[in-house]
Amino acid sequence: MIWVFDAYGTLFDVDGAARQAARDDPSLTGIWAALSADWRRKQLEYSWMRAITGDHADFWQVTAEALEWATERHGATADQSARLLELYRQLPAYPEVPQVLDRLRADGAKTAIFSNGSPRMLADATASAGLSGRLDALLSVESAGRFKPSAEAYGIVTDHFACTPGDITFVSSNGWDVYGATRFGFRAVWANRSGLPVDRLPCRPGRIVSDLKGL
């Protein structure tokens, strides 16, 4: 069995950078949550627009440009912005993630990340969170030059494992990612951490869990 996980928002807490920055700098206490939400929203919007237009840039550039927008909107300083970007390389994993990966691997499964993140971003995040030894592969869209949810991106996974889409169980906290994965042919699980309604799109999740413990 092959279990493939999205990274940001699924394994790694995307609010972790802003939350830690606010702990270190109390002047961010009142704005960190809204800043983090806008940062993530723009990061995704920019990746979708680049996927649609073909104007690709790696995810680190997209992340930095999204942060520029968010810090300008919320009045953060250049030093604070630099600190936030530094912390993004060290996002914490959600608490249940190490145990879930260990149990899957103990059952004989292969485990991997497939993410919009650049190879360096994924290597830094997994090392910082202590997950490196729990994953068989870190797969990035960079080898295709197209962000998810493009079909070219999901093909990276089947190419790597030399398998059919139906051999892959793909887990993401992002409804749009679950849609793209299901459309490609993966068995997709939506980790609906925020308790959101199912997106009104042609392909629905095969399964919904509230966090990875539900796997």
Side-chain angles (χ1 to χ4, degrees):
M1 184 174 288
I2 305 170
W3 289 81
V4 178
F5 296 84
D6 173 58
Y8 299 106
T10 304
L11 298 182
F12 304 116
D13 182 355
V14 292
D15 289 323
R19 185 184 299 111
Q20 183 58 53
R23 290 185 185 127
D24 299 338
D25 181 353
S27 69
L28 292 171
T29 300
I31 65 169
W32 77 265
L35 188 155
S36 185
D38 279 338
W39 185 6
R40 176 61 170 170
R41 177 171 61 85
K42 282 296 177 182
Q43 181 192 51
L44 293 176
E45 287 177 0
Y46 291 170
S47 72
W48 297 331
M49 286 186 278
R50 287 180 178 276
I52 291 167
T53 62
D55 191 12
H56 187 72
D58 75 40
F59 202 56
W60 186 245
Q61 178 179 332
V62 171
T63 300
E65 290 171 347
L67 178 59
E68 287 178 15
W69 189 95
T71 52
E72 181 177 343
R73 181 182 186 191
H74 293 281
T77 67
D79 286 345
Q80 289 169 332
S81 181
R83 177 60 174 156
L84 286 162
L85 200 58
E86 176 187 4
L87 288 169
Y88 204 86
R89 289 199 181 276
Q90 307 163 36
L91 292 176
Y94 288 103
E96 79 275 13
V97 169
Q99 183 180 13
V100 169
L101 293 177
D102 287 345
R103 292 191 66 174
L104 291 173
R105 292 171 67 82
D107 288 340
K110 293 181 179 179
T111 57
I113 282 176
F114 172 55
S115 171
N116 279 341
S118 68
R120 182 183 169 189
M121 289 176 71
L122 298 179
D124 288 347
T126 53
S128 177
L131 301 183
S132 299
R134 295 177 162 100
L135 295 157
D136 295 294
L138 304 180
L139 305 177
S140 167
V141 300
E142 282 307 300
S143 60
R146 289 289 299 276
F147 289 122
K148 296 185 284 182
S150 65
E152 298 96 320
Y154 295 104
I156 292 168
V157 178
T158 49
D159 288 349
H160 177 84
F161 287 106
C163 67
T164 66
D167 295 323
I168 301 294
T169 300
F170 181 73
V171 185
S172 180
S173 64
N174 302 296
W176 58 268
D177 195 11
V178 170
Y179 163 66
T182 303
R183 190 170 182 272
F184 186 74
F186 292 163
R187 294 176 294 173
V189 181
W190 184 25
N192 185 11
R193 294 185 180 276
S194 300
L196 298 173
V198 175
D199 284 315
R200 272 48 175 183
L201 292 167
C203 300
R204 298 295 180 101
R207 185 177 172 197
I208 302 173
V209 296
S210 59
D211 60 36
L212 300 192
K213 288 182 289 187
L215 302 180

